[in-house]
Amino acid sequence: MNLLSVRREVGEFKKRYKWMALVVVIVFLVLLGRMIQLQLVDYQHWAQVSRENITRTVTLPATRGVIRDSTGRIVATNRAAYNVYLTPQYLAETDLDRVTELMGLEEEEQTALRERIDRVPARRRAHQIRVFTDVSRDQLAALETHQLDLCARTGNPDNPTRLPCITVIAEPVRTYPFGNLAAHAIRYLNEMNGEELDRLQPAGYRLGDRIGRTGVERAWESYLRGRRGYRRAYVDVRGREVEGLFPEADGPTRREPVPGRDLALTLDMELMRIIDRAFGGHPSGAAVVVDVRTGAVRALYSKPSYDLGAFTRGLSFDEYGELRDNPFRPLIDKTIYESYFPGSTFKPFSAIAAMQDGVMDAEERVECLGSYTLGTTVFHCNNRNGHGEVNLRESLVESCNVYFYRLAEQVGLDRLARVAGDFGLGRRTGVGINTEASGFIPTRSWYERVGRRFRLGYTLNTAIGQGDTRTTLVQLAMSYGAIANGGTLYVPQLVERVTSPDGTVVEAFEPRVRRRVHVDQEILALVIDGLYGAVNDPTGTAYDARVDGGVPIAGKTGTAQVSRRARPDDDPDRAWYYNRAHAWFAGFAPAEDPQYAIVVLVEHGGAGGRQAAPIAMNILQEYLGSEGATASNAAPSGTRLARRP
């Protein structure tokens, strides 16, 4: 190697040395910058992370608010349920064997539990997971009795180390003392799904939380749920709590849960019991009772129903399928969600439409021969032999279709729709729970819009509550309440007040008037007189259902024709039932001084006077009792019954 080569290599090394030194300096500068970032800039964040690694936070569940009826009876409350949590990281195989033995699990249940424990990812094995919900008293006693046999590790034989591998936490669970009564109005709770959790997590919901499903439980969720609390403590490497080491600067170590607000409903559960008894023997139907003076809903009854407790505990696939496939549709709220042809219960509104605009006089007489011919179409009366000559009152008393066919020709479809709409028919009432159907009252423009050439027969069918006319039971009850109180249409009210757990009133709700219907009081008095006659005159369609010497009642029967297409799974022996008419009764009592409006529907019951009217009479007689029976039994006259409150 010559001198030139040596000098060349030395020069090359010096160049490389400079680059190496530069790289080292840069690396140290990066490390220094990172240290500054961790120690100064991000200190608070990483200090919090380190504290969380040695901190255990135990959630303190909030008690959900209690729901009571109008008389203070508890409709929904809470009981203590004991849930078992396991921490996989601290769980030995022998511990798991012992737990399954104490819980009395079958072989399949043991296998399912082991597989669930094995599926927990490594990053979550130090966390508690809930494995048993609402264990029985016997299971709880077994765990408490043998707790010293669990989670023990070798060390000092006299004082073995115990790890927190199993925890039993008492949590409130919803319970419904009335079972399936008012189930559609109250509804139930169940666990949120993933999509709901993503949406509601900012509001404080967590995985495993239960949320109200429709009904009052859903509509008033924000009032009822309360706010959970927590308890925090430091733990050592074995997961044992270490007392007295929590720095005050880290904030409070405990926050007490805030219980939910209580609700006082307008419903009367004793009235619901009365309705349930009155519907005995009928497989399907519904009833609504409202206070005509305030719009307070006293009863929402839909049959068949279901057990709220079963839904809260959780139904099996087969149990839910049995409810879903039941032809009487127990999952449907027939008072609010479903709409029906109202039949002759619609006739009072047709009568008001005719008289309010002076189209017909109340004393004008129409001859009924049992049918009415329009072109080539024959429209039948409910009495095929005819009623003879009838005026407005007699047509309501005897439910003469022919009278209302003639009336419809003169009044017109749009006028019928306007008056029905003024009384709230065909429009949502704003009851505030469940998915409310709007019903439907057709107009001429609607037929043109849907491409159906308008025919006068549509008007005739509308006047007797058939054709395309549909209403809900709540709508019909509120509209009859407006007739009874002189024209005040209320918004149905389900909640009277919100209170704190100690009984302090947080918020009270006054009755809300939806509309004052502009109708002459004399016209309402004439209609009410006809409704009174329908129950109390010997020729009335509900006369056979009245109770002598009982509460005086005014109302209207209805027999709404239905047409149902047969389904492949229909029982041939029951096909006749599904095509039988719906039976209606709508009215109010006491007739002389109305307090409550009632609507009863017996699905596929047949004639309203024979099926729905007796149910309504029994309900009102038992509910109002001797107090209502002391009201005057004189037939209503003048405008006394149609005064505004």
Side-chain angles (χ1 to χ4, degrees):
M1 179 181 296
N2 56 30
L3 183 60
L4 182 60
S5 297
V6 172
R7 289 179 176 176
R8 186 181 299 112
E9 289 180 1
V10 171
E12 188 68 25
F13 175 77
K14 288 181 177 180
K15 292 180 182 179
R16 293 179 180 178
Y17 176 79
K18 292 179 181 180
W19 285 107
M20 291 171 60
L22 180 61
V23 170
V24 171
V25 170
I26 292 174
V27 170
F28 273 98
L29 287 176
V30 171
L31 292 175
L32 179 63
R34 182 60 175 164
M35 289 176 60
I36 293 173
Q37 180 187 16
L38 294 176
Q39 296 293 328
L40 299 178
V41 179
D42 295 337
Y43 169 77
Q44 293 295 337
H45 169 73
W46 294 110
Q48 180 65 28
V49 170
S50 66
R51 283 195 296 271
E52 288 178 356
N53 288 336
I54 59 172
T55 301
R56 173 182 297 153
T57 300
V58 178
T59 298
L60 304 177
T63 302
R64 193 172 179 86
V66 175
I67 301 175
R68 295 179 173 87
D69 77 348
S70 60
T71 62
R73 301 182 188 92
I74 293 178
V75 178
T77 185
N78 310 283
R79 62 174 176 82
Y82 296 92
N83 300 333
V84 179
Y85 293 79
L86 298 180
T87 306
Q89 178 175 314
Y90 307 133
L91 195 66
E93 185 66 26
T94 55
D95 293 328
L96 190 57
D97 292 338
R98 188 62 171 149
V99 168
T100 58
E101 179 185 348
L102 294 174
M103 295 297 294
L105 301 184
E106 300 292 339
E107 184 175 348
E108 292 183 0
E109 296 172 323
Q110 294 180 25
T111 302
L113 176 61
R114 294 179 187 280
E115 291 177 351
R116 183 180 176 188
I117 297 295
D118 292 340
R119 286 198 302 268
V120 177
R123 59 184 177 82
R124 292 192 55 83
R125 296 190 71 82
H127 295 255
Q128 292 180 333
I129 61 171
R130 185 171 62 187
V131 291
F132 302 113
T133 301
D134 196 10
V135 299
S136 68
R137 294 288 181 178
D138 292 340
Q139 291 172 322
L140 176 63
L143 290 175
E144 291 179 342
T145 301
H146 298 278
Q147 60 182 343
L148 295 179
D149 300 336
L150 300 171
C151 311
R153 298 294 180 268
T154 57
N156 183 352
D158 298 327
N159 186 23
T161 300
R162 299 193 179 280
L163 302 181
C165 70
I166 182 169
T167 306
V168 179
I169 298 178
E171 298 181 13
V173 169
R174 206 61 161 169
T175 182
Y176 303 92
F178 287 92
N180 62 0
L181 210 57
H184 297 88
I186 305 302
R187 291 293 173 132
Y188 54 89
L189 310 178
N190 65 14
E191 194 169 323
M192 294 188 300
N193 56 40
E195 182 180 340
E196 290 172 323
L197 181 62
D198 292 340
R199 187 178 73 252
L200 297 175
Q201 198 165 18
Y205 288 89
R206 297 181 182 177
L207 186 66
D209 281 358
R210 293 175 178 268
I211 190 171
R213 298 297 181 188
T214 69
V216 172
E217 291 279 25
R218 177 62 172 175
W220 296 83
E221 170 75 14
S222 60
Y223 287 84
L224 291 166
R225 67 181 293 253
R227 187 188 68 187
R228 62 165 52 87
Y230 61 80
R231 180 179 64 83
R232 296 189 296 174
Y234 276 136
V235 295
D236 62 15
V237 69
R238 292 188 174 92
R240 297 174 299 185
E241 293 188 7
V242 181
E243 300 291 341
L245 296 180
F246 217 105
E248 294 183 1
D250 288 343
T253 60
R254 185 181 182 93
R255 186 181 73 183
E256 296 298 329
V258 178
R261 306 293 191 184
D262 296 346
L263 296 183
L265 304 182
T266 61
L267 297 177
D268 187 337
M269 297 308 292
E270 181 57 33
L271 175 58
M272 293 290 291
R273 280 198 182 110
I274 292 171
I275 296 174
D276 192 49
R277 288 195 296 267
F279 264 87
H282 296 282
S284 181
V288 174
V289 178
V290 300
D291 191 323
V292 305
R293 301 158 297 184
T294 63
V297 180
R298 298 302 179 196
L300 286 174
Y301 178 83
S302 182
K303 183 179 182 179
S305 187
Y306 51 82
D307 184 9
L308 289 171
F311 269 87
T312 300
R313 293 188 299 271
L315 294 176
S316 68
F317 181 80
D318 291 339
E319 289 173 327
Y320 181 77
E322 185 177 341
L323 288 173
R324 181 195 58 213
D325 299 333
N326 188 321
F328 299 119
R329 305 174 302 160
L331 298 176
I332 296 296
D333 182 355
K334 296 169 184 175
T335 65
I336 296 173
Y337 178 81
E338 186 65 280
S339 62
Y340 301 88
F341 303 126
S344 294
T345 60
F346 187 84
K347 288 177 180 177
F349 308 103
S350 299
I352 292 172
M355 289 188 294
Q356 183 68 20
D357 292 336
V359 175
M360 289 187 70
D361 183 85
E363 296 304 320
E364 181 179 344
R365 305 190 73 81
V366 172
E367 185 178 18
C368 171
L369 299 177
S371 64
Y372 185 79
T373 302
L374 180 66
T376 59
T377 305
V378 177
F379 293 82
H380 293 285
C381 188
N382 64 308
N383 183 350
R384 297 298 179 93
N385 296 321
H387 293 97
E389 289 190 352
V390 293
N391 59 15
L392 175 68
R393 183 183 187 278
E394 294 165 345
S395 69
L396 288 171
V397 170
E398 301 176 37
S399 198
C400 177
N401 288 349
V402 171
Y403 180 93
F404 285 92
Y405 293 148
R406 288 285 301 275
L407 176 150
E409 276 195 283
Q410 299 181 54
V411 172
L413 182 60
D414 288 342
R415 187 179 282 119
L416 291 174
R418 175 176 57 80
V419 171
D422 286 345
F423 278 91
L425 299 178
R427 300 172 185 177
R428 293 183 177 91
T429 64
V431 66
I433 62 169
N434 301 338
T435 302
E436 184 181 6
S438 62
F440 185 70
I441 307 296
T443 61
R444 290 186 65 122
S445 61
W446 176 79
Y447 283 109
E448 295 170 359
R449 191 164 58 251
V450 299
R452 293 167 62 182
R453 185 169 63 87
F454 177 76
R455 299 177 180 177
L456 185 57
Y458 296 152
T459 305
L460 272 59
N461 280 329
T462 298
I464 63 168
Q466 293 281 173
D468 295 294
T469 305
R470 299 184 71 88
T471 66
T472 67
L473 272 75
V474 169
Q475 286 176 6
L476 204 56
M478 301 308 296
S479 64
Y480 267 73
I483 291 176
N485 67 31
T488 301
L489 182 66
Y490 285 99
V491 175
Q493 180 183 357
L494 265 177
V495 178
E496 288 183 349
R497 61 188 178 277
V498 180
T499 62
S500 60
D502 62 3
T504 303
V505 176
V506 176
E507 191 172 1
F509 302 98
E510 296 297 325
R512 289 191 297 153
V513 175
R514 183 178 177 186
R515 175 184 304 112
R516 304 280 186 181
V517 182
H518 298 293
V519 58
D520 294 342
Q521 299 303 296
E522 292 76 9
I523 293 174
L524 284 181
L526 289 170
V527 170
I528 291 173
D529 189 36
L531 297 179
Y532 181 86
V535 177
N536 297 281
D537 286 7
T539 57
T541 54
Y543 180 76
D544 291 340
R546 85 197 189 291
V547 176
D548 288 332
V551 178
I553 298 171
K556 184 76 188 73
T557 61
T559 305
Q561 302 299 317
V562 298
S563 179
R564 178 181 179 273
R565 292 183 179 179
R567 298 185 304 186
D569 57 344
D570 282 348
D571 182 356
D573 294 333
R574 299 188 62 85
W576 62 271
Y577 171 83
Y578 296 120
N579 286 294
R580 193 165 65 168
H582 292 326
W584 286 92
F585 181 86
F588 43 84
E592 186 70 17
D593 185 18
Q595 299 176 32
Y596 301 104
I598 185 170
V599 173
V600 170
L601 167 71
V602 180
E603 280 194 322
H604 308 292
R610 290 195 297 270
Q611 301 296 334
I615 293 176
M617 302 297 170
N618 292 338
I619 293 169
L620 292 173
Q621 298 297 338
E622 186 173 353
Y623 186 58
L624 293 176
S626 59
E627 178 182 354
T630 60
S632 172
N633 286 297
S637 61
T639 59
R640 180 179 178 186
L641 297 182
R643 63 182 180 275
R644 293 181 186 272

